Coordinates of all heavy atoms in Angstrom, one line a residue:
E154 N -11.3 25.3 17.7 CA -12.4 26.3 18.0 C -13.1 25.7 19.2 O -13.5 24.5 19.2 CB -13.3 26.5 16.8 CG -12.7 27.2 15.7 CD -13.6 27.5 14.5 OE1 -14.7 26.9 14.6 OE2 -13.3 28.3 13.6
G155 N -13.3 26.5 20.2 CA -14.0 26.1 21.4 C -13.2 25.4 22.5 O -13.7 24.9 23.5
Y156 N -11.9 25.4 22.3 CA -11.0 24.8 23.2 C -9.8 25.7 23.4 O -9.1 26.1 22.4 CB -10.5 23.4 22.7 CG -9.5 22.7 23.6 CD1 -9.9 21.9 24.7 CD2 -8.1 22.7 23.3 CE1 -9.0 21.3 25.5 CE2 -7.2 22.0 24.0 CZ -7.7 21.3 25.1 OH -6.8 20.6 25.9
D157 N -9.5 26.1 24.6 CA -8.5 27.2 24.8 C -7.2 26.8 25.4 O -6.4 27.7 25.8 CB -9.1 28.3 25.6 CG -9.6 27.9 27.0 OD1 -9.3 26.7 27.4 OD2 -10.1 28.7 27.8
K158 N -6.9 25.5 25.4 CA -5.7 25.1 26.1 C -4.5 24.9 25.2 O -3.4 24.6 25.7 CB -5.9 23.7 26.8 CG -6.9 23.9 28.0 CD -7.1 22.5 28.7 CE -8.1 22.7 29.9 NZ -8.3 21.4 30.6
I159 N -4.6 25.1 23.9 CA -3.5 25.0 23.0 C -2.9 26.4 22.8 O -3.5 27.4 22.4 CB -3.9 24.5 21.6 CG1 -4.5 23.1 21.7 CG2 -2.8 24.5 20.6 CD1 -5.0 22.5 20.4
T160 N -1.6 26.5 23.2 CA -0.9 27.8 23.2 C 0.0 27.7 22.0 O 0.2 26.7 21.3 CB -0.1 28.0 24.4 OG1 1.0 27.1 24.5 CG2 -1.0 27.8 25.7
Q161 N 0.7 28.9 21.7 CA 1.7 28.9 20.6 C 3.1 28.4 21.0 O 4.0 28.4 20.2 CB 1.7 30.4 20.1 CG 0.5 30.8 19.4 CD 0.1 30.0 18.2 OE1 1.0 29.7 17.3 NE2 -1.1 29.6 18.1
E162 N 3.2 28.0 22.2 CA 4.5 27.5 22.7 C 4.8 26.1 22.0 O 3.8 25.4 21.7 CB 4.5 27.3 24.2 CG 4.5 28.6 25.0 CD 4.6 28.4 26.5 OE1 4.8 27.2 26.9 OE2 4.4 29.4 27.2
R163 N 6.0 25.8 21.7 CA 6.4 24.5 21.2 C 6.1 23.4 22.2 O 6.4 23.5 23.3 CB 7.9 24.5 20.8 CG 8.2 25.3 19.5 CD 7.7 24.5 18.3 NE 8.0 25.3 17.1 CZ 9.1 25.1 16.4 NH1 10.0 24.2 16.7 NH2 9.3 25.8 15.3
A164 N 5.4 22.4 21.7 CA 5.1 21.2 22.5 C 6.3 20.2 22.5 O 7.2 20.2 21.6 CB 3.9 20.5 22.0
A165 N 6.4 19.4 23.6 CA 7.5 18.5 23.7 C 7.3 17.4 22.6 O 6.2 17.1 22.1 CB 7.4 17.8 25.1
V166 N 8.4 16.8 22.2 CA 8.4 15.7 21.3 C 7.6 14.6 21.8 O 7.7 14.2 23.0 CB 9.9 15.2 21.0 CG1 9.9 14.0 20.1 CG2 10.7 16.4 20.3
L167 N 6.7 14.0 20.9 CA 5.9 13.0 21.4 C 6.7 11.7 21.6 O 7.5 11.3 20.8 CB 4.8 12.7 20.3 CG 3.8 13.8 20.0 CD1 2.9 13.3 18.9 CD2 2.9 14.0 21.3
N168 N 6.3 11.0 22.7 CA 6.9 9.7 23.0 C 6.1 8.7 22.3 O 4.9 8.5 22.7 CB 6.9 9.5 24.5 CG 7.7 8.2 24.9 OD1 7.8 7.3 24.1 ND2 8.1 8.2 26.2
P169 N 6.6 7.9 21.4 CA 5.8 6.9 20.7 C 5.2 5.9 21.6 O 4.1 5.3 21.2 CB 6.9 6.3 19.7 CG 7.9 7.3 19.5 CD 8.0 8.0 20.8
K170 N 5.8 5.6 22.7 CA 5.2 4.6 23.6 C 3.9 5.1 24.2 O 3.1 4.2 24.7 CB 6.2 4.4 24.8 CG 7.5 3.7 24.3 CD 8.4 3.4 25.5 CE 9.7 2.7 25.0 NZ 10.6 2.4 26.2
H171 N 3.6 6.4 24.2 CA 2.3 6.8 24.7 C 1.2 6.8 23.7 O 0.1 7.0 24.1 CB 2.5 8.3 25.2 CG 3.4 8.4 26.4 ND1 4.0 9.6 26.8 CD2 4.0 7.5 27.2 CE1 4.8 9.4 27.8 NE2 4.8 8.1 28.1
K172 N 1.6 6.5 22.5 CA 0.6 6.2 21.4 C -0.4 7.4 21.2 O -1.6 7.1 21.0 CB -0.1 4.9 21.6 CG 0.8 3.7 21.7 CD 0.1 2.4 21.9 CE 1.0 1.2 22.0 NZ 1.9 1.0 20.8
I173 N 0.0 8.6 21.4 CA -0.9 9.7 21.2 C -1.5 9.8 19.8 O -2.7 10.0 19.7 CB -0.2 11.0 21.6 CG1 0.3 11.1 23.0 CG2 -1.1 12.2 21.3 CD1 -0.9 11.0 24.0
L174 N -0.7 9.6 18.8 CA -1.2 9.6 17.5 C -2.1 8.5 17.2 O -3.2 8.7 16.5 CB 0.0 9.6 16.5 CG 0.9 10.8 16.4 CD1 2.0 10.6 15.4 CD2 0.1 12.1 16.1
E175 N -1.8 7.3 17.6 CA -2.6 6.2 17.4 C -4.0 6.4 18.0 O -5.0 5.9 17.4 CB -2.0 4.9 18.0 CG -0.8 4.4 17.2 CD -0.1 3.2 17.8 OE1 0.1 3.3 19.0 OE2 0.1 2.3 17.1
K176 N -4.1 7.0 19.1 CA -5.4 7.3 19.8 C -6.1 8.4 19.1 O -7.4 8.4 19.1 CB -5.2 7.6 21.3 CG -4.7 6.4 22.1 CD -4.7 6.6 23.6 CE -3.7 7.6 24.0 NZ -3.7 7.8 25.5
C177 N -5.4 9.4 18.6 CA -6.1 10.6 18.0 C -6.5 10.4 16.6 O -7.4 11.0 16.1 CB -5.2 11.8 18.2 SG -5.1 12.4 20.0
F178 N -5.7 9.7 15.8 CA -6.0 9.6 14.4 C -7.4 9.2 14.0 O -8.0 9.8 13.1 CB -5.0 8.7 13.7 CG -3.7 9.3 13.2 CD1 -2.5 8.6 13.2 CD2 -3.6 10.6 12.8 CE1 -1.3 9.1 12.8 CE2 -2.5 11.2 12.4 CZ -1.3 10.5 12.4
P179 N -8.0 8.2 14.7 CA -9.4 7.9 14.4 C -10.4 9.0 14.5 O -11.5 9.0 13.9 CB -9.7 6.7 15.3 CG -8.4 6.1 15.7 CD -7.4 7.3 15.7
L180 N -10.1 10.0 15.3 CA -11.0 11.1 15.6 C -10.6 12.4 14.7 O -11.3 13.4 14.9 CB -11.0 11.5 17.1 CG -11.6 10.4 18.0 CD1 -11.4 10.8 19.4 CD2 -13.1 10.2 17.7
M181 N -9.6 12.2 13.9 CA -9.2 13.3 13.0 C -9.8 13.1 11.7 O -9.3 12.2 10.9 CB -7.6 13.4 13.0 CG -7.0 13.8 14.3 SD -5.2 13.5 14.5 CE -4.6 14.4 13.1
K182 N -10.7 13.9 11.3 CA -11.4 13.8 10.0 C -11.9 15.1 9.5 O -11.9 16.1 10.2 CB -12.7 12.9 10.2 CG -12.4 11.4 10.6 CD -13.6 10.6 10.8 CE -13.3 9.2 11.2 NZ -12.6 8.5 10.1
T183 N -12.2 15.2 8.2 CA -12.9 16.3 7.7 C -14.4 16.1 7.8 O -14.9 15.0 7.9 CB -12.5 16.5 6.2 OG1 -12.9 15.4 5.4 CG2 -11.0 16.8 6.0
D184 N -15.1 17.3 7.8 CA -16.6 17.2 8.0 C -17.3 17.4 6.6 O -16.6 17.4 5.6 CB -17.0 18.1 9.1 CG -16.8 19.6 8.7 OD1 -16.5 19.9 7.5 OD2 -17.0 20.5 9.6
D185 N -18.6 17.6 6.7 CA -19.4 17.8 5.5 C -19.0 19.0 4.7 O -19.2 19.2 3.5 CB -20.9 17.9 5.8 CG -21.4 16.5 6.2 OD1 -20.9 15.5 5.7 OD2 -22.5 16.5 6.9
D186 N -18.4 20.0 5.4 CA -18.0 21.3 4.8 C -16.5 21.4 4.6 O -15.9 22.5 4.4 CB -18.4 22.4 5.7 CG -19.9 22.5 5.9 OD1 -20.6 22.3 4.9 OD2 -20.4 22.7 7.1
L187 N -15.8 20.2 4.6 CA -14.4 20.1 4.2 C -13.5 20.6 5.4 O -12.2 20.7 5.2 CB -14.0 20.8 2.9 CG -14.8 20.4 1.7 CD1 -14.5 21.4 0.5 CD2 -14.4 19.0 1.3
N188 N -14.0 21.0 6.5 CA -13.2 21.5 7.6 C -12.5 20.3 8.3 O -13.0 19.3 8.5 CB -14.1 22.2 8.7 CG -14.8 23.4 8.1 OD1 -14.2 24.3 7.6 ND2 -16.1 23.4 8.2
A189 N -11.2 20.6 8.6 CA -10.5 19.6 9.4 C -10.9 19.7 10.8 O -11.1 20.8 11.4 CB -9.0 19.9 9.3
C190 N -11.1 18.5 11.4 CA -11.7 18.5 12.8 C -11.0 17.4 13.6 O -10.5 16.4 13.1 CB -13.2 18.1 12.8 SG -14.2 19.2 11.8
F191 N -11.0 17.6 14.9 CA -10.7 16.6 15.9 C -12.0 16.4 16.7 O -12.5 17.3 17.4 CB -9.6 16.9 16.9 CG -9.4 15.8 17.9 CD1 -8.7 14.7 17.6 CD2 -10.0 16.0 19.2 CE1 -8.6 13.7 18.6 CE2 -9.8 15.0 20.1 CZ -9.2 13.8 19.8
D192 N -12.6 15.2 16.5 CA -13.9 15.0 17.1 C -14.9 16.1 16.6 O -15.1 16.3 15.4 CB -13.8 14.9 18.6 CG -15.0 14.2 19.2 OD1 -15.9 13.6 18.5 OD2 -15.1 14.1 20.5

Side-chain angles (χ1 to χ4, degrees):
E154 292 184 349
Y156 179 81
D157 61 4
K158 294 183 181 179
I159 297 178
T160 71
Q161 292 300 312
E162 294 181 8
R163 284 288 178 93
V166 173
L167 293 176
N168 185 337
K170 294 182 180 180
H171 296 162
K172 300 183 184 296
I173 296 298
L174 292 180
E175 288 175 312
K176 292 190 290 185
C177 288
F178 273 148
L180 294 172
M181 293 165 56
K182 296 181 179 293
T183 58
D184 64 12
D185 286 335
D186 298 316
L187 302 171
N188 298 304
C190 301
F191 175 79
D192 199 7

